[in-house]
Amino acid sequence: MIGLNEKTVYLIFQLIRCALTDGRLSDADRECLTEEMLADILTVSHKQDLAHLVGVGLQKNGLPDKESPSYEPFQLLQIKAVYRYEQLNFEYNRLCEVLESLEVPFLPLKGSVIRQLYPEPWMRTSCDIDFLVREEDIDRATNILVQELGYTV
């Protein structure tokens, strides 16, 4: 796989660390971020749906330069992550409102819960909304989602 070498993976993890904490890259790591390395990092992190986090890590380190070919793709992927979050959050709120209004007990799970632990909730990307309902409420909850929200089974 293109770019999948130890240094690429190491730098991706370092950049994610920077995104999620107040950490900074070492001078040695900054020197490794050539245009070729940034292109590899973008390719690998995008395939793993982590490029938006890597982009934040780069930003926190003042990288890449706005003239860099890598600047715009990382920015675009951050914007897309925010957009995905807003869409998902809108749907999550609709789902909660209808289940609560019809008194169906439920428990949100996974991404919709832990995203609040991230520096910004949009940093936790996902493409679904997980929730738990009691076994005896599954058919009722399913019917509500289909009838009230237009979901399909």
Side-chain angles (χ1 to χ4, degrees), residues 8 18 21-22 24 45 64-65 78 83 90 118 122 131 133:
T8 303
C18 292
T21 69
D22 289 330
R24 297 286 182 254
S45 64
D65 181 270
Q78 287 177 54
Y83 180 72
F90 177 81
Y118 282 68
W122 63 266
F131 63 95
V133 295

Side-chain angles (χ1 to χ4, degrees), residues 32-125:
C32 293
L33 292 173
T34 63
E35 285 302 324
E36 184 179 340
M37 180 59 79
L38 284 169
D40 286 350
I41 288 171
L42 178 62
T43 299
V44 174
S45 64
H46 184 47
K47 284 182 182 177
Q48 300 301 317
D49 195 18
L50 296 169
H52 62 290
L53 290 175
V54 170
V56 172
L58 286 166
Q59 270 183 327
K60 284 187 171 185
N61 284 278
L63 300 166
D65 181 270
K66 289 185 179 188
E67 303 303 316
S68 166
S70 302
Y71 181 81
E72 190 174 315
F74 279 112
Q75 291 294 314
L76 182 60
L77 290 167
Q78 287 177 54
I79 291 167
K80 285 182 178 181
V82 171
Y83 180 72
R84 282 173 41 194
Y85 162 73
E86 290 298 335
Q87 286 184 306
L88 207 57
N89 196 45
F90 177 81
E91 200 60 31
Y92 171 81
N93 288 328
R94 281 184 61 206
L95 188 140
C96 290
E97 286 174 16
V98 75
L99 291 177
E100 287 171 2
S101 72
L102 297 172
E103 299 179 355
V104 176
F106 68 98
L107 180 65
L109 300 172
K110 297 167 50 178
S112 56
V113 177
I114 67 169
R115 72 172 25 101
Q116 302 309 316
L117 301 174
Y118 282 68
E120 296 291 333
W122 63 266
M123 291 178 160
R124 173 57 164 93
T125 57

Side-chain angles (χ1 to χ4, degrees), residues 20-32:
L20 299 176
T21 69
D22 289 330
R24 297 286 182 254
L25 292 175
S26 69
D27 290 339
D29 288 343
R30 287 177 67 93
E31 289 176 20
C32 293

Side-chain angles (χ1 to χ4, degrees), residues 9-19 24-25 29 57 61:
V9 173
Y10 168 79
L11 288 169
I12 288 171
F13 276 101
Q14 291 306 307
L15 289 163
I16 292 170
R17 177 187 57 82
C18 292
R24 297 286 182 254
L25 292 175
D29 288 343
N61 284 278

